[in-house]
Amino acid sequence: LAELGEGAREPLVVQRDGRWFRRGEGARVDLARRRRLAKVLACLAGATDWVPLDAVFEAGWPGERCVPGSDVNRVHVTLSRLRSAGLGELIETEDGCFRITPKVQLELRD
């Protein structure tokens, strides 16, 4: 993460429904046509703590059932795509749970 001075955190602005985000002063990244990515981002951005894999899956694929293990794969691929879209190290993983790192100043916009 970029150093912003003591006590400062990099800003991350996310539209509440996940359709776009912006890191710091960077360009806005549009996810409007990438519906599942937007839903998963909205889930993570709206959480105040770690989000378990099943909740992330439900956010991206509401009500859908899949072959055991497929849910894990779908979530990991989706998170990889979000990281590649510019969120990189801002998405943290621990013990099958996920979150937006608290090292950023997260702002949700309507």
Side-chain angles (χ1 to χ4, degrees), residues 2-55:
E3 293 298 321
L4 299 175
E6 194 164 325
R9 299 182 298 171
E10 177 183 12
L12 172 64
V13 180
V14 177
Q15 186 175 25
R16 203 168 295 279
D17 65 4
R19 288 188 301 171
W20 61 265
F21 70 89
R22 184 180 68 240
R23 282 184 72 164
E25 297 300 318
R28 192 167 97 165
V29 177
D30 186 1
L31 299 176
R33 292 187 176 169
R34 302 173 81 183
R35 189 174 50 123
R36 297 210 194 282
L37 270 63
K39 288 181 177 187
V40 168
L41 176 57
C43 171
L44 295 176
T48 57
D49 202 1
W50 291 96
V51 182
L53 186 133
D54 59 339

Side-chain angles (χ1 to χ4, degrees), residues 5-110:
E6 194 164 325
R9 299 182 298 171
E10 177 183 12
L12 172 64
V13 180
V14 177
Q15 186 175 25
R16 203 168 295 279
D17 65 4
R19 288 188 301 171
W20 61 265
F21 70 89
R22 184 180 68 240
R23 282 184 72 164
E25 297 300 318
R28 192 167 97 165
V29 177
D30 186 1
L31 299 176
R33 292 187 176 169
R34 302 173 81 183
R35 189 174 50 123
R36 297 210 194 282
L37 270 63
K39 288 181 177 187
V40 168
L41 176 57
C43 171
L44 295 176
T48 57
D49 202 1
W50 291 96
V51 182
L53 186 133
D54 59 339
V56 176
F57 181 80
E58 182 61 28
W61 297 266
E64 192 171 320
R65 296 191 186 275
C66 62
V67 176
S70 175
D71 56 343
V72 174
N73 187 51
R74 288 185 193 187
V75 167
H76 284 280
V77 167
T78 300
L79 293 175
S80 176
R81 289 181 177 154
L82 283 170
R83 287 179 174 118
S84 294
L87 292 175
E89 72 285 357
L90 301 185
I91 298 176
E92 296 181 334
T93 304
E94 183 177 289
D95 297 327
C97 295
F98 311 92
R99 72 178 179 181
I100 302 291
T101 182
K103 295 177 184 175
V104 296
Q105 179 183 339
L106 181 62
E107 181 184 335
L108 295 176
R109 296 255 176 103
D110 288 321

